[in-house]
């Protein structure tokens, strides 16, 4: 996927980490992917877990153990607390990665549907952007580069760049365009999906290769999560002693139905992952009833 451009170095094409009102699963995935890929191959663990169960336990443990980060820093100065505080977002990245393993290869119909969204929004947004650039409200070079190029991949790149451009200059453009935030989100989501699904030449990636890459990233993110969750359990033990199992449960512990509400956030993943199928393996959809604790990291 093309890289984002910062405010200091505009190119108009496919920015990463586009500012949004909330942290999306996809944004979390892109944030942690480089860290996961940096792990030595020999250290990577194969993920055979139901990642939604693990994610529910991560959030449960995080909320119970990390309410006072300053206190933790004073008590455990050598513990990598910043990594621990990022655990919920790392869990979101893992859930997103798991959807890419289980999702069906994109059909031509799905690709055309996403392209239709981008095409319908791109032209009016780009035409107005050219007018706004002439009036000095948008950078002319960025807008010109968005207009240049052709092909499906370029269209997707344009869509993401336009959504970013309007958001980056939202204050200057307030009241000067008719587009809603919902339209910008639709354009961004469709563009991200296409950039993940298409090659720069516009052809679909071979399904086997795509699945293999997705499995690799899922395993690496899982390994990162296991390592960092161990530090969270150290915090639980330091402050709660033998009760730490209740505060910071094992990653694959089954949680009670009262904790299921915390998993409802995961339903956002379908929109965020571009319609991918359920991420959990073995048909589990998050937390289940109270009993058994399974062997886990």
């Amino acid at each position: 996927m093309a890289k984002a451009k910062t405010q200091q170095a505009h190119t108009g094409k496919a920015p990463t980490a586009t500012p949004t009102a909330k942290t999306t699963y996809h944004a979390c995935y892109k944030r942690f992917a480089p860290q996961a890929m940096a792990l030595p191959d020999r250290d990577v663990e194969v993920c055979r877990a139901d990642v939604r169960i693990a994610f529910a336990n991560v959030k449960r443990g995080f909320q119970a153990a990390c309410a006072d980060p300053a206190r933790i820093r004073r008590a455990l100065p050598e513990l990598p607390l910043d990594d621990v505080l990022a655990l919920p977002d790392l869990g979101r990245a893992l859930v997103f990665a798991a959807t890419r393993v289980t999702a069906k290869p994109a059909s031509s119909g799905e690709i055309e549907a996403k392209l239709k969204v981008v095409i319908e929004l791109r032209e009016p947004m780009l035409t107005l952007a050219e007018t706004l650039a002439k009036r000095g409200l948008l950078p002319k070079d960025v807008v010109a580069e968005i207009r240049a190029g052709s092909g499906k991949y370029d269209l997707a790149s344009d869509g993401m760049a336009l959504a970013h451009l309007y958001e980056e200059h939202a204050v200057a453009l307030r009241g000067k365009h008719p587009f809603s935030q919902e339209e910008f989100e639709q354009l961004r989501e469709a563009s991200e999906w296409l950039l993940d699904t298409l090659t720069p030449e516009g052809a679909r990636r071979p399904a086997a290769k795509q699945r293999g890459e997705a499995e690799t990233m899922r395993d690496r993110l899982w390994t990162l999560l296991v390592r960092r969750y161990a530090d969270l359990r150290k915090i639980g033990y330091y402050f709660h002693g033998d009760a730490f199992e209740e505060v910071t449960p094992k990653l694959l512990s089954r949680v009670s139905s009262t904790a299921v509400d915390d998993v409802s956030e995961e339903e956002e993943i379908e929109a965020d992952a571009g319609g991918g199928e359920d991420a959990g393996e073995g048909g589990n959809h998050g937390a289940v009833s109270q009993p058994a604790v399974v062997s886990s990291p």
Side-chain angles (χ1 to χ4, degrees):
M1 180 187 298
K3 295 288 185 182
K5 299 300 175 183
T6 65
Q7 192 167 356
Q8 289 74 30
H10 293 293
T11 69
K13 299 297 180 181
T16 61
T18 312
T20 56
K22 65 181 181 66
T23 303
T24 67
Y25 283 70
H26 193 185
C28 292
Y29 177 85
K30 291 189 289 185
R31 171 185 169 188
F32 290 101
Q35 299 174 41
M37 291 305 297
L39 292 171
D41 291 344
R42 64 179 180 277
D43 293 341
V44 176
E45 302 178 24
V46 175
C47 177
R48 297 186 175 90
D50 182 330
V51 298
R52 294 193 176 197
I53 293 280
F55 183 36
N57 285 324
V58 165
K59 291 188 290 181
R60 181 184 175 191
F62 178 83
Q63 290 167 0
C66 294
D68 189 349
R71 183 186 179 202
I72 298 170
R73 286 191 194 279
R74 290 193 299 270
L76 301 168
E78 295 186 8
L79 186 137
L81 184 58
D82 289 342
D83 287 347
V84 174
L85 296 177
L87 269 169
D89 281 348
L90 178 55
R92 294 181 178 94
L94 175 61
V95 171
F96 183 87
T99 66
R100 303 184 82 185
V101 175
T102 59
K104 296 176 182 177
S107 67
S108 58
E110 289 173 314
I111 292 173
E112 292 305 318
K114 296 293 185 182
L115 280 170
K116 182 179 179 182
V117 172
V118 174
I119 291 170
E120 289 180 351
L121 292 172
R122 171 187 178 274
E123 189 55 37
M125 287 185 184
L126 182 51
T127 299
L128 181 55
E130 289 171 328
T131 299
L132 293 169
K134 291 178 181 177
R135 293 176 175 265
L137 295 173
L138 290 175
K140 291 182 179 180
D141 57 333
V142 174
V143 176
E145 189 167 347
I146 295 175
R147 172 64 76 182
S150 61
K152 294 178 180 179
Y153 192 88
D154 191 76
L155 279 173
S157 184
D158 290 350
M160 196 153 177
L162 278 167
H164 177 68
L165 184 67
Y166 274 91
E167 187 160 10
E168 187 179 25
H169 297 274
V171 175
L173 299 182
R174 185 173 294 122
K176 295 180 173 63
H177 67 77
F179 308 115
S180 67
Q181 187 60 36
E182 181 181 2
E183 287 176 311
F184 288 128
E185 290 301 324
Q186 288 174 346
L187 179 61
R188 190 193 328 278
E189 185 275 326
S191 298
E192 283 189 359
W193 186 92
L194 286 165
L195 288 169
D196 274 345
T197 304
L198 302 172
T199 66
E201 293 76 28
R204 279 176 286 162
R205 296 171 181 165
K209 179 181 177 184
Q210 189 176 42
R211 181 177 174 85
E213 291 172 348
E215 288 175 337
T216 296
M217 185 56 70
R218 178 205 59 192
D219 293 345
R220 287 178 169 275
L221 288 167
W222 168 252
T223 303
L224 207 59
L225 187 80
V226 169
R227 288 183 171 191
R228 296 185 179 184
Y229 193 69
D231 287 326
L232 178 64
R233 282 168 62 84
K234 290 176 185 176
I235 295 171
Y237 184 77
Y238 183 88
F239 289 106
H240 300 278
D242 291 340
F244 85 105
E245 290 279 10
E246 288 296 318
V247 177
T248 52
K250 292 181 180 180
L251 269 179
L252 299 185
S253 297
R254 307 286 180 167
V255 296
S256 67
S257 57
T258 58
V260 173
D261 292 342
D262 197 36
V263 190
S264 61
E265 175 187 2
E266 296 161 33
E267 295 177 1
E268 300 169 10
I269 191 64
E270 285 194 13
D272 205 16
E277 295 188 343
D278 294 331
E281 297 182 6
N284 292 320
H285 295 269
V288 295
S289 57
Q290 174 71 28
V293 175
V294 294
S295 175
S296 64

